[in-house]
Amino acid sequence: MAIKVKSAPMKLKNLAASLMLAFGCASAHANVVDVGEPIPIYTEAQLIKLINQNKHLEQIKADNCQLVEDIVARATRISLPSYEYLYGDMLAWGVCVDQDVELGLYYIENAAHQGLPAALEKLGSYYSRGTLVQQDKERAIPYLREAAAMGNINARVHLAELLLRDYGSPLDYEDAYRWLYNSVTADKRMHKRISVLRQGLERRMPQNIIARAKKRDTFW
């Protein structure tokens, strides 16, 4: 039995090669070989890590756009939030697909509604800066606040910056300060930025509120 199992694939390969040569498909076979081995689809953990590092579009291009069909299927048929976000960003910027900003934002919003922190932060950032959408800093705050509550450090920083520029409500100072106080980062620039923002909020907050914010735990 072992001999038969081993020999069957070789016969099939020889038959396939003969058929390809017979129908003039040698060049097509060469093209397939040039592409290399198929690239496996990303796991949820891998994709979320790429998204959090803002390397997801870069990775898609590095993979020669081989995974587009798989990405589209996971975004449109299964509605996985990380893949909706990825597909939305691809559409928004025309990476490996035809650019369609409106449809791209639709999928990013879907991912945000499912609670993906990166999608919430992205929408907040877009509205705050007027990227792809009409600028509306007040509209940005609920997205940034929700992402910040879920541990997204970029959202925490951006929210604090808006509050210090008198957008949003002073009622958000305590939460914004607490989130910054509990944020952990190895990035020295980000660490310094957080310190500056904390100092800015401290100048606007009573000492008892600052003390309370430091004592409260943050869960995400």
Side-chain angles (χ1 to χ4, degrees):
M1 290 297 292
I3 296 175
K4 289 182 180 179
V5 170
K6 290 182 180 179
S7 62
M10 184 59 68
K11 290 180 180 180
L12 291 174
K13 288 180 181 179
N14 291 338
L15 177 60
S18 299
L19 290 171
M20 290 180 72
L21 289 173
F23 289 94
C25 295
S27 60
H29 181 262
N31 289 338
V32 172
V33 173
D34 290 341
V35 171
E37 292 295 322
I39 296 172
I41 192 69
Y42 319 121
T43 65
E44 277 279 283
Q46 289 172 332
L47 180 52
I48 289 173
K49 183 177 181 179
L50 288 170
I51 289 170
N52 290 338
Q53 295 173 340
N54 198 30
K55 293 181 179 179
H56 51 292
L57 295 183
E58 179 183 326
Q59 186 63 52
I60 292 298
K61 290 187 282 188
D63 291 337
N64 298 316
C65 304
Q66 290 188 49
L67 299 177
V68 171
E69 289 186 7
D70 289 315
I71 292 167
V72 173
R74 282 163 174 74
T76 62
R77 299 177 189 173
I78 308 176
S79 298
L80 293 173
S82 58
Y83 277 92
E84 286 187 307
Y85 176 87
L86 174 59
Y87 183 44
D89 231 12
M90 290 165 61
L91 286 165
W93 299 105
V95 174
C96 295
V97 294
D98 292 334
Q99 187 173 24
D100 188 331
V101 174
E102 185 175 0
L103 186 59
L105 289 174
Y106 167 81
Y107 280 107
I108 293 174
E109 286 176 356
N110 278 357
H113 291 156
Q114 292 195 64
L116 185 70
L120 290 160
E121 187 275 330
K122 177 71 76 175
L123 288 173
S125 175
Y126 280 173
Y127 280 113
S128 176
R129 294 171 179 145
T131 303
L132 302 178
V133 296
Q134 294 300 308
Q135 189 176 44
D136 188 338
K137 294 185 184 296
E138 293 292 347
R139 188 173 181 179
I141 287 176
Y143 289 110
L144 293 173
R145 180 180 169 80
E146 190 168 350
M150 297 174 74
N152 187 288
I153 196 166
N154 290 324
R156 292 177 174 187
V157 166
H158 202 151
L159 175 63
E161 289 174 341
L162 289 178
L163 291 173
L164 290 174
R165 292 170 63 187
D166 296 321
Y167 292 99
S169 168
L171 296 175
D172 288 330
Y173 289 173
E174 182 177 353
D175 283 338
Y177 184 89
R178 175 166 52 89
W179 291 328
L180 290 177
Y181 182 75
N182 286 283
S183 293
V184 178
T185 177
D187 186 321
K188 292 182 179 180
R189 281 187 175 183
M190 181 64 80
H191 190 274
K192 184 176 181 180
R193 196 173 174 190
I194 288 172
S195 297
V196 170
L197 291 170
R198 279 181 53 199
Q199 291 169 14
L201 289 170
E202 285 172 355
R203 287 192 286 270
R204 299 185 177 210
M205 298 167 63
Q207 287 299 316
N208 64 314
I209 301 300
I210 295 172
R212 186 172 69 185
K214 288 181 177 180
K215 288 180 180 178
R216 291 179 62 187
D217 292 328
T218 298
F219 297 96
W220 62 81

